[in-house]
Amino acid sequence: MTPRVVIIGAGIVGANLADELTTRGWTDVTVLDQGPLPLTGGSTSHAPGLVFQTTGSKTMTAFATYTVEKLLGLDDGTTADGWCFNQVGGLEVATTPERLADLHRKQGWAISRGVPAAVVDAAECARLHPLLDPDQVLGGLHTPTDGLAKAARAVVALARRAESRGAVFRGSVRVTGIAQSGGRVTGVETADGETVPADIVVSCAGFWGRELGKLVGMRVPLLPLAHQYARTTQVEQLVGRNGADARSAGAPHGEFVEARLPILRHQDADLYYREHNDCLGIGSYAHRPMPVSISELPEVGDGEVGERTQPSMLPFTEEDFARQWEQSQQLLPGLQRSKIEHGFNGVFSFTPDGGPLIGESPDVAGFWVAEAVWVTHSSGVARSVAQLLVDGRSELDLHGCDVNRFDEVETTDAYVDETSQQNFVEIYDVLHPLQPKLSPRGIRTSPFHDRQRELGAFFLESHAWERPHWYEANAALAKDMPPQWRAPSRDAWSAMFHSPVVAVEAWKTRTAVAMYDMTPLTRLEVSGPGACAFLEGLTTGKMDKSVGAVTYTLMLDEAGGVRSDLTVARLGEQLFQVGANSHLDLDHLRRALPDDHSVAVRDITGGTCCIGVWGPLARDLVQPLSGEDFSHEGLKYFRAMSAHIAGIPVTAMRLSYVGELGWEIYTSAEYGRKLWDVLYEAGRPLGVVAAGRAAFNSLRLEKGYRSWGADMSTEHNPYEAGLGFAVRPHTKGDFVGREAVEKIDPDAVTRRLTCLTVDDGRSVVLGHEAVLVDGEPAGYVTSAAYGYTLGTPIAYAWLPAGLPVGATVEIQYFDRRIRASVAAEPLFDPEMSRIRR
Ligand code: FAD
Ligand code: THG
């Protein structure tokens, strides 16, 4: 007996999920939709189905690649027009040099993920897509495996396959409630008063997701927005090329295709194009964001079949399209003899960070969501959800997709509405990896914020926190900085959101002392009689140590993938403070809590603050302010103690992500500003500086410290990630992932997180670039920075194991190939002489 699953929504996501679950033998699946089947009136019903596979996210690309593969294989072959994917290729054109450069960057993402792609010149663009005026474009990115998904047909084919294995699809059934008992779902309630029993409910309700979430008190952070799609009248050049009368031996699927030209993106004008037989479809993101209120949508199913109103199709607002039509005629001159035949404003979902929403409600067990998913990613998302349900884990790293990745403030309607609209506006923009939101800003500030502003902090934003990236005040110190600390000048791209001041902050940290605001680091308190055993069961290290011990440890999943890396400080017999990576860690710990109430977990980030005081003079700064013993013996490396600093109660933890002597000094929020002032004043004679994230990131890479999410994730085991030292099964009992990691031979891994230094000593890369070995794509950069202490740019990259120290590789940076060498790590202070003294 497999669990009874009810899927809400028979769009491309729900249908794919029914297919993926039944393939895995979970056959008790019921799919309910408020609309009629198969065209329910949701976003899928009219989706033009362009599938461009490559984005900045490796996981999203993998989702898309699987969608292509799966839909290509979905042709049941019984009819000439049974195909579900028309692999016409994708072409993204550049009309500005910035865009052309960005397409080179994208080409690197593609090839590092096994998607063939090439940047081609204007003539080749016009050869691939003869409607293009080559004089309008500078070049383009051609991705031959992209194409058109026939989404509505795929829904039918997937439903048929799932039904053949036992799934049931029911149309015109509106879900109005979720039945629960003891914190678990037991079924769904319908508008007709029926209760359909369920052990697991998966909401695949698309842009209705927020409404469905409300039924269980879950905030689903998405915003429905309308997006314009228009169809032209007949385009002369297309007549006779496609459709039933175009019987070409080369037709990819049977004889009837609607399109042969590559799908086309003109991102500098926020436009995209596809053929519909001898007409062209045009999509526009150029207009103002048009948020949609669910209550104002037309009801499903009014009117005749064929012209039935679809709630996801709103009337076309012609005035919003006028300029885009002109731009289209300019790019594709053949359109000058055509008109807009009709159009609509179609509704689909946007989210605060552009990612989809996958995962289980934190409060109601068995209530899952898979929403804000494009057709492009639908099969991949469904596969991952099926893996989560059936196997307990997804092969792909989902941290950027998890519905629980947001802190509470990021799920409020005000935040979701504003950030999602901003994502609509920016959808085709060339975005720098560090580019911050302009708004909303200033939501979360540490108690040091006013002081940071006085010092000229340049802030970037993360999870609604303002985080100083560097401080302009330190520019005045540059004149005293020895020349070897000065970094070579950067190219324009890597110089964005960067300042030469960062060198000063790195120099001062390594030679004097610096203060780092660590407040935004997620801090959790785990307490209660069961706390120690609870943490033992979830981590790879020994937790049952003396009070005052701090442990760097990993949380693994069942397969040994790295779920997170944590610092765990035992502050009392039954009290632990956990330094975590994100809200996902809180979510994970909460789910794992024992039922007997012997453990409590809470997020204490908000009420507390932290300053990292690090550098060779850190002890000279802190000791005179305190009656407690901050000597090497008095508070050893990786130990914590309560202390007073100038009368302020603090917790000091002796550890340092930048690899220097010093402490993370925690206090509650109300003392924060005083603590900052006291330390800053006492540090003046020692040359203390406030230092920001940019120096922090550089120094931690010199020291070889990993950043979870960027450098490693659940896709990697600890040995591959260079974190085997934190796995200590001989010190403890059972823990999640133990069995899996014990089977791994640390010396036999096939890939490794590898430290590279750039040979020319000056080219700085930013992360996500492809890495080539012997000219072939072999991996990708995770994190990178200029290393000021060493005078070389550093990049960490996933690469095949076995590359010897000194081996040469190439990093593809835009259209350049930058030579780099495999280096022994850590690059800085491998003897730990800076920290242990
Ligand atoms: P839907 O197809 O909307 O399915 C959700 C279903 O849930 C609906 O059928 C709805 O009736 C049902 N439902 C909701 N509430 C309830 C309830 N209470 N009870 C029962 N059932 C309920 N994506 C691409 O990848 N490429 C493109 O080129 C592309 N172009 C687009 C162009 C336009 C104009 C639009 C509007 C969208 C486009 N998209 C594109 C996005 C894509 O269409 C959607 O992201 C995708 O179809 C969403 O699929 P879904 O299954 O999540 O949602
Ligand atoms: N501070 C605190 N908690 C954290 C971080 C932090 N939690 C999340 C993240 N950062 C964890 N990452 C690291 C990475 C490396 C170290 C600490 C936190 C570190 N490693 C030593 C090393 O590898 O040499 C520890 C070795 C050991 O186990 O003794 O210091 O910044 N509070």
PDB file of all heavy atoms in Angstrom, residues 518 521 552 565-567 579-581 637-638 653 655-657 664 666 696 703 705-706 725 832 836, ligand 2:
ATOM      1  N   MET A 518      28.598  40.396  12.330  1.00  0.00           N
ATOM      2  CA  MET A 518      28.132  39.031  12.050  1.00  0.00           C
ATOM      3  C   MET A 518      26.652  38.863  12.405  1.00  0.00           C
ATOM      4  O   MET A 518      26.139  37.736  12.437  1.00  0.00           O
ATOM      5  CB  MET A 518      28.964  38.032  12.855  1.00  0.00           C
ATOM      6  CG  MET A 518      30.448  38.037  12.528  1.00  0.00           C
ATOM      7  SD  MET A 518      30.790  37.379  10.884  1.00  0.00           S
ATOM      8  CE  MET A 518      30.524  35.625  11.181  1.00  0.00           C
ATOM      9  N   LEU A 521      24.079  36.533  10.497  1.00  0.00           N
ATOM     10  CA  LEU A 521      24.264  35.073  10.508  1.00  0.00           C
ATOM     11  C   LEU A 521      23.130  34.432  11.320  1.00  0.00           C
ATOM     12  O   LEU A 521      22.909  34.798  12.471  1.00  0.00           O
ATOM     13  CB  LEU A 521      25.612  34.751  11.167  1.00  0.00           C
ATOM     14  CG  LEU A 521      25.968  33.287  11.265  1.00  0.00           C
ATOM     15  CD1 LEU A 521      26.914  32.921  10.128  1.00  0.00           C
ATOM     16  CD2 LEU A 521      26.661  32.973  12.588  1.00  0.00           C
ATOM     17  N   TYR A 552      32.558  22.587  15.045  1.00  0.00           N
ATOM     18  CA  TYR A 552      32.201  22.765  13.632  1.00  0.00           C
ATOM     19  C   TYR A 552      31.720  21.415  13.142  1.00  0.00           C
ATOM     20  O   TYR A 552      32.420  20.408  13.279  1.00  0.00           O
ATOM     21  CB  TYR A 552      33.408  23.242  12.825  1.00  0.00           C
ATOM     22  CG  TYR A 552      33.128  23.292  11.332  1.00  0.00           C
ATOM     23  CD1 TYR A 552      32.293  24.264  10.802  1.00  0.00           C
ATOM     24  CD2 TYR A 552      33.680  22.352  10.467  1.00  0.00           C
ATOM     25  CE1 TYR A 552      32.006  24.302   9.442  1.00  0.00           C
ATOM     26  CE2 TYR A 552      33.406  22.381   9.104  1.00  0.00           C
ATOM     27  CZ  TYR A 552      32.566  23.360   8.599  1.00  0.00           C
ATOM     28  OH  TYR A 552      32.284  23.390   7.262  1.00  0.00           O
ATOM     29  N   ASP A 565      26.438  23.243   7.077  1.00  0.00           N
ATOM     30  CA  ASP A 565      27.530  23.189   8.059  1.00  0.00           C
ATOM     31  C   ASP A 565      27.244  24.202   9.155  1.00  0.00           C
ATOM     32  O   ASP A 565      26.734  25.286   8.899  1.00  0.00           O
ATOM     33  CB  ASP A 565      28.914  23.377   7.424  1.00  0.00           C
ATOM     34  CG  ASP A 565      29.143  24.754   6.832  1.00  0.00           C
ATOM     35  OD1 ASP A 565      28.159  25.464   6.537  1.00  0.00           O
ATOM     36  OD2 ASP A 565      30.320  25.120   6.640  1.00  0.00           O
ATOM     37  N   LEU A 566      27.512  23.782  10.370  1.00  0.00           N
ATOM     38  CA  LEU A 566      27.088  24.547  11.541  1.00  0.00           C
ATOM     39  C   LEU A 566      28.247  24.692  12.516  1.00  0.00           C
ATOM     40  O   LEU A 566      29.162  23.864  12.536  1.00  0.00           O
ATOM     41  CB  LEU A 566      25.982  23.787  12.293  1.00  0.00           C
ATOM     42  CG  LEU A 566      24.757  23.313  11.525  1.00  0.00           C
ATOM     43  CD1 LEU A 566      23.904  22.411  12.420  1.00  0.00           C
ATOM     44  CD2 LEU A 566      23.944  24.493  11.015  1.00  0.00           C
ATOM     45  N   THR A 567      28.163  25.724  13.350  1.00  0.00           N
ATOM     46  CA  THR A 567      28.970  25.728  14.572  1.00  0.00           C
ATOM     47  C   THR A 567      27.993  25.535  15.717  1.00  0.00           C
ATOM     48  O   THR A 567      26.955  26.208  15.776  1.00  0.00           O
ATOM     49  CB  THR A 567      29.719  27.057  14.756  1.00  0.00           C
ATOM     50  OG1 THR A 567      28.782  28.114  14.811  1.00  0.00           O
ATOM     51  CG2 THR A 567      30.699  27.286  13.615  1.00  0.00           C
ATOM     52  N   GLY A 579      25.249  28.230  15.116  1.00  0.00           N
ATOM     53  CA  GLY A 579      25.481  29.172  14.020  1.00  0.00           C
ATOM     54  C   GLY A 579      25.128  28.456  12.726  1.00  0.00           C
ATOM     55  O   GLY A 579      25.720  27.432  12.387  1.00  0.00           O
ATOM     56  N   ALA A 580      24.121  28.971  12.024  1.00  0.00           N
ATOM     57  CA  ALA A 580      23.553  28.238  10.884  1.00  0.00           C
ATOM     58  C   ALA A 580      23.706  29.031   9.596  1.00  0.00           C
ATOM     59  O   ALA A 580      24.287  30.118   9.582  1.00  0.00           O
ATOM     60  CB  ALA A 580      22.086  27.937  11.163  1.00  0.00           C
ATOM     61  N   ASN A 581      23.188  28.480   8.508  1.00  0.00           N
ATOM     62  CA  ASN A 581      23.334  29.142   7.207  1.00  0.00           C
ATOM     63  C   ASN A 581      22.084  29.851   6.724  1.00  0.00           C
ATOM     64  O   ASN A 581      22.195  30.824   5.989  1.00  0.00           O
ATOM     65  CB  ASN A 581      23.802  28.138   6.161  1.00  0.00           C
ATOM     66  CG  ASN A 581      25.272  27.823   6.318  1.00  0.00           C
ATOM     67  OD1 ASN A 581      26.113  28.705   6.173  1.00  0.00           O
ATOM     68  ND2 ASN A 581      25.600  26.585   6.676  1.00  0.00           N
ATOM     69  N   TYR A 637      41.005  27.771  21.502  1.00  0.00           N
ATOM     70  CA  TYR A 637      40.399  27.768  20.170  1.00  0.00           C
ATOM     71  C   TYR A 637      39.160  26.864  20.181  1.00  0.00           C
ATOM     72  O   TYR A 637      39.192  25.755  20.712  1.00  0.00           O
ATOM     73  CB  TYR A 637      41.429  27.269  19.160  1.00  0.00           C
ATOM     74  CG  TYR A 637      40.986  27.295  17.711  1.00  0.00           C
ATOM     75  CD1 TYR A 637      40.443  28.434  17.144  1.00  0.00           C
ATOM     76  CD2 TYR A 637      41.137  26.172  16.913  1.00  0.00           C
ATOM     77  CE1 TYR A 637      40.054  28.459  15.817  1.00  0.00           C
ATOM     78  CE2 TYR A 637      40.764  26.180  15.578  1.00  0.00           C
ATOM     79  CZ  TYR A 637      40.208  27.324  15.038  1.00  0.00           C
ATOM     80  OH  TYR A 637      39.820  27.338  13.727  1.00  0.00           O
ATOM     81  N   PHE A 638      38.082  27.347  19.590  1.00  0.00           N
ATOM     82  CA  PHE A 638      36.809  26.621  19.552  1.00  0.00           C
ATOM     83  C   PHE A 638      36.247  26.331  20.949  1.00  0.00           C
ATOM     84  O   PHE A 638      35.726  25.270  21.229  1.00  0.00           O
ATOM     85  CB  PHE A 638      36.881  25.366  18.670  1.00  0.00           C
ATOM     86  CG  PHE A 638      36.400  25.652  17.257  1.00  0.00           C
ATOM     87  CD1 PHE A 638      37.231  26.287  16.334  1.00  0.00           C
ATOM     88  CD2 PHE A 638      35.108  25.338  16.867  1.00  0.00           C
ATOM     89  CE1 PHE A 638      36.777  26.593  15.054  1.00  0.00           C
ATOM     90  CE2 PHE A 638      34.652  25.648  15.587  1.00  0.00           C
ATOM     91  CZ  PHE A 638      35.482  26.279  14.677  1.00  0.00           C
ATOM     92  N   MET A 653      32.995  33.547  21.519  1.00  0.00           N
ATOM     93  CA  MET A 653      33.345  32.242  20.932  1.00  0.00           C
ATOM     94  C   MET A 653      34.630  32.410  20.164  1.00  0.00           C
ATOM     95  O   MET A 653      34.714  33.256  19.264  1.00  0.00           O
ATOM     96  CB  MET A 653      32.266  31.791  19.946  1.00  0.00           C
ATOM     97  CG  MET A 653      31.055  31.239  20.617  1.00  0.00           C
ATOM     98  SD  MET A 653      29.916  30.661  19.350  1.00  0.00           S
ATOM     99  CE  MET A 653      28.389  30.897  20.257  1.00  0.00           C
ATOM    100  N   LEU A 655      36.501  31.586  17.496  1.00  0.00           N
ATOM    101  CA  LEU A 655      36.615  31.002  16.168  1.00  0.00           C
ATOM    102  C   LEU A 655      36.621  32.143  15.181  1.00  0.00           C
ATOM    103  O   LEU A 655      36.284  33.280  15.536  1.00  0.00           O
ATOM    104  CB  LEU A 655      35.472  30.019  15.882  1.00  0.00           C
ATOM    105  CG  LEU A 655      34.054  30.551  15.841  1.00  0.00           C
ATOM    106  CD1 LEU A 655      33.608  30.763  14.399  1.00  0.00           C
ATOM    107  CD2 LEU A 655      33.104  29.574  16.496  1.00  0.00           C
ATOM    108  N   SER A 656      37.032  31.858  13.976  1.00  0.00           N
ATOM    109  CA  SER A 656      37.186  32.939  13.011  1.00  0.00           C
ATOM    110  C   SER A 656      37.110  32.428  11.589  1.00  0.00           C
ATOM    111  O   SER A 656      37.970  31.683  11.135  1.00  0.00           O
ATOM    112  CB  SER A 656      38.545  33.605  13.223  1.00  0.00           C
ATOM    113  OG  SER A 656      38.887  34.347  12.078  1.00  0.00           O
ATOM    114  N   TYR A 657      36.099  32.842  10.908  1.00  0.00           N
ATOM    115  CA  TYR A 657      35.898  32.445   9.510  1.00  0.00           C
ATOM    116  C   TYR A 657      36.937  33.116   8.612  1.00  0.00           C
ATOM    117  O   TYR A 657      37.122  32.720   7.475  1.00  0.00           O
ATOM    118  CB  TYR A 657      34.482  32.868   9.113  1.00  0.00           C
ATOM    119  CG  TYR A 657      33.859  32.206   7.921  1.00  0.00           C
ATOM    120  CD1 TYR A 657      33.643  30.834   7.871  1.00  0.00           C
ATOM    121  CD2 TYR A 657      33.414  32.971   6.844  1.00  0.00           C
ATOM    122  CE1 TYR A 657      33.017  30.255   6.771  1.00  0.00           C
ATOM    123  CE2 TYR A 657      32.788  32.396   5.746  1.00  0.00           C
ATOM    124  CZ  TYR A 657      32.589  31.040   5.715  1.00  0.00           C
ATOM    125  OH  TYR A 657      31.965  30.478   4.641  1.00  0.00           O
ATOM    126  N   GLU A 664      34.105  35.689  18.034  1.00  0.00           N
ATOM    127  CA  GLU A 664      32.783  36.208  17.737  1.00  0.00           C
ATOM    128  C   GLU A 664      32.215  36.624  19.083  1.00  0.00           C
ATOM    129  O   GLU A 664      32.148  35.807  20.006  1.00  0.00           O
ATOM    130  CB  GLU A 664      31.908  35.134  17.088  1.00  0.00           C
ATOM    131  CG  GLU A 664      32.349  34.766  15.686  1.00  0.00           C
ATOM    132  CD  GLU A 664      31.483  33.678  15.049  1.00  0.00           C
ATOM    133  OE1 GLU A 664      30.661  33.068  15.761  1.00  0.00           O
ATOM    134  OE2 GLU A 664      31.653  33.434  13.839  1.00  0.00           O
ATOM    135  N   TYR A 666      29.040  37.927  21.051  1.00  0.00           N
ATOM    136  CA  TYR A 666      27.577  38.049  20.950  1.00  0.00           C
ATOM    137  C   TYR A 666      27.030  38.802  22.142  1.00  0.00           C
ATOM    138  O   TYR A 666      27.506  38.647  23.266  1.00  0.00           O
ATOM    139  CB  TYR A 666      26.931  36.653  20.953  1.00  0.00           C
ATOM    140  CG  TYR A 666      27.281  35.819  19.757  1.00  0.00           C
ATOM    141  CD1 TYR A 666      28.423  35.019  19.754  1.00  0.00           C
ATOM    142  CD2 TYR A 666      26.466  35.814  18.633  1.00  0.00           C
ATOM    143  CE1 TYR A 666      28.765  34.251  18.654  1.00  0.00           C
ATOM    144  CE2 TYR A 666      26.790  35.038  17.530  1.00  0.00           C
ATOM    145  CZ  TYR A 666      27.939  34.262  17.549  1.00  0.00           C
ATOM    146  OH  TYR A 666      28.252  33.506  16.460  1.00  0.00           O
ATOM    147  N   PHE A 696      35.774  39.901   4.031  1.00  0.00           N
ATOM    148  CA  PHE A 696      35.419  38.641   4.692  1.00  0.00           C
ATOM    149  C   PHE A 696      35.477  37.470   3.710  1.00  0.00           C
ATOM    150  O   PHE A 696      36.080  36.426   3.982  1.00  0.00           O
ATOM    151  CB  PHE A 696      34.001  38.832   5.234  1.00  0.00           C
ATOM    152  CG  PHE A 696      33.449  37.741   6.077  1.00  0.00           C
ATOM    153  CD1 PHE A 696      33.836  37.585   7.396  1.00  0.00           C
ATOM    154  CD2 PHE A 696      32.474  36.881   5.563  1.00  0.00           C
ATOM    155  CE1 PHE A 696      33.276  36.599   8.198  1.00  0.00           C
ATOM    156  CE2 PHE A 696      31.923  35.891   6.358  1.00  0.00           C
ATOM    157  CZ  PHE A 696      32.318  35.748   7.679  1.00  0.00           C
ATOM    158  N   LYS A 703      41.710  31.107   3.404  1.00  0.00           N
ATOM    159  CA  LYS A 703      41.799  30.106   4.474  1.00  0.00           C
ATOM    160  C   LYS A 703      41.128  28.804   4.081  1.00  0.00           C
ATOM    161  O   LYS A 703      41.225  27.803   4.807  1.00  0.00           O
ATOM    162  CB  LYS A 703      41.147  30.675   5.742  1.00  0.00           C
ATOM    163  CG  LYS A 703      41.437  29.913   7.008  1.00  0.00           C
ATOM    164  CD  LYS A 703      42.872  30.076   7.476  1.00  0.00           C
ATOM    165  CE  LYS A 703      43.209  29.153   8.623  1.00  0.00           C
ATOM    166  NZ  LYS A 703      43.522  27.775   8.217  1.00  0.00           N
ATOM    167  N   TYR A 705      37.879  28.141   3.837  1.00  0.00           N
ATOM    168  CA  TYR A 705      36.607  27.835   4.484  1.00  0.00           C
ATOM    169  C   TYR A 705      35.478  27.885   3.474  1.00  0.00           C
ATOM    170  O   TYR A 705      35.331  28.832   2.708  1.00  0.00           O
ATOM    171  CB  TYR A 705      36.341  28.798   5.640  1.00  0.00           C
ATOM    172  CG  TYR A 705      37.271  28.598   6.822  1.00  0.00           C
ATOM    173  CD1 TYR A 705      37.441  29.583   7.781  1.00  0.00           C
ATOM    174  CD2 TYR A 705      37.993  27.403   6.978  1.00  0.00           C
ATOM    175  CE1 TYR A 705      38.288  29.400   8.869  1.00  0.00           C
ATOM    176  CE2 TYR A 705      38.841  27.213   8.053  1.00  0.00           C
ATOM    177  CZ  TYR A 705      38.991  28.223   9.003  1.00  0.00           C
ATOM    178  OH  TYR A 705      39.824  28.043  10.069  1.00  0.00           O
ATOM    179  N   ARG A 706      34.660  26.860   3.498  1.00  0.00           N
ATOM    180  CA  ARG A 706      33.575  26.710   2.530  1.00  0.00           C
ATOM    181  C   ARG A 706      32.367  27.544   2.922  1.00  0.00           C
ATOM    182  O   ARG A 706      32.129  27.770   4.111  1.00  0.00           O
ATOM    183  CB  ARG A 706      33.127  25.243   2.465  1.00  0.00           C
ATOM    184  CG  ARG A 706      33.938  24.355   1.539  1.00  0.00           C
ATOM    185  CD  ARG A 706      35.323  24.068   2.042  1.00  0.00           C
ATOM    186  NE  ARG A 706      35.976  23.037   1.213  1.00  0.00           N
ATOM    187  CZ  ARG A 706      37.233  23.062   0.844  1.00  0.00           C
ATOM    188  NH1 ARG A 706      38.055  24.038   1.219  1.00  0.00           N
ATOM    189  NH2 ARG A 706      37.727  22.092   0.108  1.00  0.00           N
ATOM    190  N   PHE A 725      37.033  15.940   7.534  1.00  0.00           N
ATOM    191  CA  PHE A 725      37.528  16.078   8.919  1.00  0.00           C
ATOM    192  C   PHE A 725      36.398  16.293   9.925  1.00  0.00           C
ATOM    193  O   PHE A 725      36.559  16.045  11.114  1.00  0.00           O
ATOM    194  CB  PHE A 725      38.538  17.228   9.013  1.00  0.00           C
ATOM    195  CG  PHE A 725      37.930  18.599   8.819  1.00  0.00           C
ATOM    196  CD1 PHE A 725      37.406  19.298   9.903  1.00  0.00           C
ATOM    197  CD2 PHE A 725      37.866  19.185   7.555  1.00  0.00           C
ATOM    198  CE1 PHE A 725      36.839  20.554   9.732  1.00  0.00           C
ATOM    199  CE2 PHE A 725      37.289  20.442   7.380  1.00  0.00           C
ATOM    200  CZ  PHE A 725      36.770  21.118   8.472  1.00  0.00           C
ATOM    201  N   MET A 832      47.884  26.813  10.962  1.00  0.00           N
ATOM    202  CA  MET A 832      46.988  27.416  11.950  1.00  0.00           C
ATOM    203  C   MET A 832      47.750  28.237  12.987  1.00  0.00           C
ATOM    204  O   MET A 832      47.295  28.431  14.110  1.00  0.00           O
ATOM    205  CB  MET A 832      46.155  26.343  12.687  1.00  0.00           C
ATOM    206  CG  MET A 832      45.367  25.420  11.799  1.00  0.00           C
ATOM    207  SD  MET A 832      43.948  26.252  11.078  1.00  0.00           S
ATOM    208  CE  MET A 832      42.770  26.152  12.434  1.00  0.00           C
ATOM    209  N   ARG A 836      45.876  29.741  16.542  1.00  0.00           N
ATOM    210  CA  ARG A 836      46.171  29.047  17.802  1.00  0.00           C
ATOM    211  C   ARG A 836      47.352  29.691  18.499  1.00  0.00           C
ATOM    212  O   ARG A 836      48.464  29.156  18.445  1.00  0.00           O
ATOM    213  CB  ARG A 836      46.506  27.576  17.526  1.00  0.00           C
ATOM    214  CG  ARG A 836      45.356  26.775  16.947  1.00  0.00           C
ATOM    215  CD  ARG A 836      45.853  25.346  16.779  1.00  0.00           C
ATOM    216  NE  ARG A 836      44.961  24.536  15.944  1.00  0.00           N
ATOM    217  CZ  ARG A 836      43.966  23.793  16.455  1.00  0.00           C
ATOM    218  NH1 ARG A 836      43.751  23.741  17.745  1.00  0.00           N
ATOM    219  NH2 ARG A 836      43.211  23.085  15.640  1.00  0.00           N
TER     220      ARG A 836
HETATM  221  N1  THG B   2      30.301  31.490  12.552  1.00  0.00           N
HETATM  222  C1  THG B   2      29.414  30.816  13.274  1.00  0.00           C
HETATM  223  N2  THG B   2      28.598  29.913  12.723  1.00  0.00           N
HETATM  224  C2  THG B   2      28.641  29.694  11.387  1.00  0.00           C
HETATM  225  C3  THG B   2      29.562  30.367  10.588  1.00  0.00           C
HETATM  226  C4  THG B   2      30.410  31.301  11.202  1.00  0.00           C
HETATM  227  N3  THG B   2      27.786  28.800  10.835  1.00  0.00           N
HETATM  228  C5  THG B   2      27.636  28.762   9.413  1.00  0.00           C
HETATM  229  C6  THG B   2      28.963  28.924   8.721  1.00  0.00           C
HETATM  230  N4  THG B   2      29.623  30.102   9.236  1.00  0.00           N
HETATM  231  C7  THG B   2      29.792  27.714   9.013  1.00  0.00           C
HETATM  232  N5  THG B   2      31.055  27.743   8.331  1.00  0.00           N
HETATM  233  C8  THG B   2      32.259  27.661   8.949  1.00  0.00           C
HETATM  234  C9  THG B   2      33.341  27.247   8.208  1.00  0.00           C
HETATM  235  C10 THG B   2      34.575  27.061   8.822  1.00  0.00           C
HETATM  236  C11 THG B   2      34.712  27.329  10.181  1.00  0.00           C
HETATM  237  C12 THG B   2      33.658  27.791  10.903  1.00  0.00           C
HETATM  238  C13 THG B   2      32.415  27.956  10.299  1.00  0.00           C
HETATM  239  C14 THG B   2      36.003  27.026  10.857  1.00  0.00           C
HETATM  240  N6  THG B   2      36.635  25.905  10.500  1.00  0.00           N
HETATM  241  C15 THG B   2      37.828  25.430  11.159  1.00  0.00           C
HETATM  242  C16 THG B   2      38.712  24.757  10.128  1.00  0.00           C
HETATM  243  O1  THG B   2      38.179  24.229   9.153  1.00  0.00           O
HETATM  244  O2  THG B   2      39.901  24.790  10.310  1.00  0.00           O
HETATM  245  C17 THG B   2      37.357  24.480  12.219  1.00  0.00           C
HETATM  246  C18 THG B   2      38.117  23.243  12.402  1.00  0.00           C
HETATM  247  C19 THG B   2      37.623  22.473  13.578  1.00  0.00           C
HETATM  248  O3  THG B   2      36.684  21.684  13.418  1.00  0.00           O
HETATM  249  O4  THG B   2      38.167  22.665  14.670  1.00  0.00           O
HETATM  250  O5  THG B   2      36.421  27.749  11.728  1.00  0.00           O
HETATM  251  O6  THG B   2      31.225  31.984  10.560  1.00  0.00           O
HETATM  252  N7  THG B   2      29.322  31.035  14.590  1.00  0.00           N
END
